Amino acid sequence: MPAYDLHSHTTASDGTLTPQALVNAACKAGVDVLAITDHDSTAGLEEAHRAAQNLPLNVIDGCEISVTWSGSTVHIVGLNLDLAHQPLQQGLARLREHRKERARAIAADLEKHGIGGIYEKVVARVRGGLISRTHFAHELVALGKAASVREVFKKYLVRGKPGFVAGQWAQLEEAVDWITAAGGQAVIAHPARYRLTRSKLIRLIEAFRGCGGEAIEVVSGSHSRDESFTMARHARDFGLLASAGSDYHGPENPWVSLGDLPQLPQGCEPIWSSWQR
Ligand code: AMP
Ligand code: MN
Ligand code: MN
Ligand code: MN
């Protein structure tokens, strides 16, 4: 069976590998099918396809859309998108614009907390036209404010800490519509990461399915084995397909490797069972 990794990032969003370098690394890691799912952008895919032309690797056109749902930020992955679809591209462009405003607000809040002049430094780190909290995290580490990106996300940029600004992202229904209208399949990314109560998670899954969502990420680089089993049960109970992705952001994060994912739990219907190779 081919090896699938259906969630990954490049320098087009907050990954540290260029699309070409990511494709090469995935190939070396034994991945057969790689979805590139940058935050709110599909800008890395053209280079990725060029890089994969003479490699035994199939690149899937994807993205990871930031959504505000019921007061929580959740991520919806789209797979097999028509990248030329205008409503999708206009929606993503709107979110990237919002990211610029949010970045100014994050910098202003950090300034209030004694970390001044960070905005220009963070902008200088952006390589693919999209600014994220990860870019702030790298700069805060460089400034010695934290020992690691992980530590940054404990001390800064999160609710109740300096530099937290709640994003106003897409609505769930909009994001699923952009994906499905572009011929793609919508997937709830890393559902265990949101720390929702069981009943709120079920409300999310029902709302998602109600607007045409098809799958949930059962296996994720950020799920424990237990969390995968829980999500597998939800997928089965709600008649959703199961996806699997590392959420790889680059070699700096040693906890997550490309393509090194456990099998989907028994009884899941893989999202790729419907794909033609
Ligand atoms: P943004 O979409 O700009 O709000 O940034 C979200 C990104 O920050 C995620 O996709 C992760 O790459 C990164 N991130 C969030 N929390 C953490 C964490 N605890 N450790 C490392 N990276 C994180
Ligand atoms: Mn990220
Ligand atoms: Mn995510
Ligand atoms: Mn991701």
Side-chain angles (χ1 to χ4, degrees):
M1 207 189 59
Y4 291 85
D5 189 335
L6 302 181
H7 189 152
S8 67
H9 295 269
T10 75
T11 47
S13 66
D14 61 348
T16 56
L17 296 185
T18 62
Q20 179 173 7
L22 178 72
V23 160
N24 288 333
C27 205
K28 218 169 143 193
V31 175
D32 299 298
V33 182
L34 175 75
I36 295 182
T37 56
D38 277 303
H39 299 287
D40 306 327
S41 172
T42 61
L45 281 153
E46 200 186 313
E47 179 184 323
H49 283 293
R50 235 180 297 124
Q53 246 166 26
N54 298 314
L55 295 174
L57 178 82
N58 188 7
V59 172
I60 302 283
D61 292 323
C63 68
E64 181 176 19
I65 303 181
S66 310
V67 164
T68 302
W69 175 79
S70 200
S72 300
T73 296
V74 301
H75 288 168
I76 302 297
V77 159
L79 298 175
N80 286 311
L81 303 165
D82 169 8
L83 300 184
H85 188 70
Q86 278 313 299
L88 170 71
Q89 291 301 343
Q90 284 158 8
L92 300 181
R94 186 185 102 204
L95 297 178
R96 291 195 298 274
E97 277 307 304
H98 177 58
R99 284 177 168 279
K100 291 183 195 163
E101 292 163 29
R102 183 188 65 151
R104 289 214 175 265
I106 290 174
D109 194 64
L110 288 172
E111 178 120 38
K112 265 197 264 170
H113 288 87
I115 303 172
I118 198 174
Y119 183 77
E120 285 69 24
K121 293 178 195 155
V122 173
V123 167
R125 290 180 174 274
V126 170
R127 294 165 76 186
L130 176 137
I131 190 161
S132 75
R133 282 187 295 163
T134 308
H135 297 100
F136 277 89
H138 287 147
E139 184 59 32
L140 288 164
V141 171
L143 290 172
K145 301 293 176 187
S148 65
V149 167
R150 272 187 161 213
E151 198 186 311
V152 172
F153 280 100
K154 293 196 173 101
K155 291 165 64 179
Y156 300 97
L157 309 179
V158 293
R159 197 175 290 280
K161 305 290 176 181
F164 175 71
V165 178
Q168 308 294 318
W169 307 116
Q171 291 172 26
L172 180 64
E173 188 172 6
E174 274 183 313
V176 174
D177 277 354
W178 296 337
I179 291 166
T180 52
Q185 290 170 294
V187 185
I188 300 178
H190 45 62
R193 282 286 64 72
Y194 312 125
R195 300 277 164 234
L196 303 177
T197 61
R198 187 189 147 82
S199 65
K200 190 169 175 186
L201 176 62
I202 286 172
R203 269 207 298 130
L204 170 64
I205 292 171
E206 286 178 331
F208 170 77
R209 199 181 55 167
C211 47
E214 289 185 54
I216 67 182
E217 236 171 49
V218 166
V219 162
S220 161
S222 71
H223 281 175
S224 69
R225 204 64 192 132
D226 270 3
E227 287 168 337
S228 294
F229 284 121
T230 303
M231 296 311 154
R233 201 153 16 128
H234 288 318
R236 283 196 300 267
D237 289 352
F238 290 92
L240 293 168
L241 302 170
S243 188
S246 62
D247 205 2
Y248 186 79
H249 280 72
E252 297 75 11
N253 178 353
W255 311 102
V256 173
S257 338
L258 266 171
D260 182 24
L261 294 164
Q263 301 268 307
L264 286 172
Q266 283 289 313
C268 288
E269 177 76 6
I271 190 166
W272 54 82
S273 63
S274 61
W275 299 353
Q276 294 169 348
R277 299 214 68 230

